[in-house]
Amino acid sequence: DAGVIQSPRHEVTEMGQEVTLRCKPISGHDYLFWYRQTMMRGLELLIYFNNNVPIDDSGMPEDRFSAKMPNASFSTLKIQPSEPRDSAVYFCASSGDRDQETQYFGPGTRLLVL
Amino acid sequence: AQTVTQSQPEMSVQEAETVTLSCTYDTSESDYYLFWYKQPPSRQMILVIRQEAYKQQNATENRFSVNFQKAAKSFSLKISDSQLGDAAMYFCAYRSPYYNTDKLIFGTGTRLQVFP
């Protein structure tokens, strides 16, 4: 299996621009998680889905952030408009199949908002 | 709410030696899962080892083993025969088994340096 795939790996954008991060979970996994990692706040869960349905979005910082999962093999995290404080590494993780308790992480997207 | 504490921001070990990273957690649940993840400079989060709270036997994965003390709510990671490639940030994480609380709660991490 290819593991969790994220794109882009790096993104540099200017304040006010829209940013879209993409994630493809491991095939057969029915849970998908979006995390953000910063020096100040460490690893934070933003939102997670089960069977494409958002279960807990209490970690989404504000209305500028939105996430979708239109099907079992694809999810997006969108920031509009982006701000410098959104600069972070964004991870997607998935779990399910025979090992629902263990989350497997993608390589992350390093976002820099200027 | 559950919390995870890693009290050692940094640790160092010499190659081939053994090092133990500490982790404590707080929970009122009796059943849960604990994990150690490794994050090398590449930033990839790599699962090292997991432990189910209902299992008394400590988990082991090659050179990595845990000391799980449920009553003390302690979950330390022992790395034997340390290698240069073990240098990384190590995160301890807790997961509740109940639906709607599936998120991982992470500690703040311990940076491990390995010296030749």
Side-chain angles (χ1 to χ4, degrees):
Chain A
D1 199 314
V4 176
I5 298 172
Q6 290 186 248
S7 65
R9 295 291 306 277
H10 302 274
E11 177 81 23
V12 180
T13 190
E14 292 189 344
M15 183 174 64
Q17 297 297 306
E18 178 179 292
V19 175
T20 299
L21 311 181
R22 297 172 177 82
C23 175
K24 177 179 167 54
I26 292 172
S27 177
H29 281 190
D30 52 1
Y31 283 85
L32 184 138
F33 305 81
W34 282 102
Y35 289 89
R36 178 172 69 175
Q37 185 179 34
T38 61
M39 288 295 293
M40 291 296 295
R41 300 174 68 91
L43 275 155
E44 308 172 90
L45 177 69
L46 300 177
I47 185 171
Y48 78 92
F49 297 82
N50 178 222
N51 290 322
N52 313 338
V53 176
I55 302 300
D56 183 356
D57 65 354
S58 59
M60 295 285 263
E62 48 199 274
D63 292 345
R64 298 185 296 106
F65 285 69
S66 62
K68 294 181 180 180
M69 192 164 186
N71 57 62
S73 59
F74 183 66
S75 177
T76 59
L77 178 68
K78 188 174 292 187
I79 309 172
Q80 166 64 17
S82 58
E83 296 182 3
R85 60 191 168 128
D86 301 330
S87 298
V89 180
Y90 291 81
F91 288 101
C92 176
S94 70
S95 68
D97 201 17
R98 299 176 186 175
D99 182 13
Q100 283 206 342
E101 297 79 22
T102 302
Q103 295 181 22
Y104 295 90
F105 283 74
T109 295
R110 188 172 299 206
L111 173 65
L112 177 61
V113 183
L114 301 174
Chain B
Q2 296 86 11
T3 58
V4 176
T5 302
Q6 293 180 251
S7 58
Q8 305 155 316
E10 289 192 5
M11 292 283 286
S12 61
V13 64
Q14 201 145 22
E15 210 175 356
E17 297 295 308
T18 296
V19 64
T20 299
L21 309 184
S22 300
C23 173
T24 58
Y25 57 93
D26 188 27
T27 183
S28 58
E29 297 171 332
S30 59
D31 195 16
Y32 46 85
Y33 301 89
L34 297 165
F35 304 86
W36 278 99
Y37 282 88
K38 170 185 176 181
Q39 188 177 41
S42 67
R43 294 282 194 151
Q44 174 85 48
M45 292 287 286
I46 302 165
L47 176 69
V48 175
I49 200 166
R50 61 173 266 177
Q51 173 81 42
E52 293 88 347
Y54 62 86
K55 289 186 178 178
Q56 292 187 345
Q57 187 173 7
N58 289 324
T60 299
E61 287 288 340
N62 301 314
R63 298 182 296 106
F64 298 88
S65 61
V66 299
N67 183 4
F68 174 50
Q69 301 288 330
K70 191 172 183 180
K73 296 180 182 175
S74 170
F75 182 60
S76 60
L77 175 70
K78 185 171 84 171
I79 306 174
S80 304
D81 186 26
S82 298
Q83 300 176 0
L84 295 177
D86 296 333
M89 282 289 286
Y90 286 82
F91 291 94
C92 178
Y94 173 102
R95 181 187 179 280
S96 169
Y98 304 112
Y99 185 68
N100 279 5
T101 59
D102 290 295
K103 62 184 180 183
L104 283 174
I105 299 168
F106 286 92
T108 51
T110 296
R111 182 175 302 280
L112 178 67
Q113 293 182 307
V114 181
F115 295 101

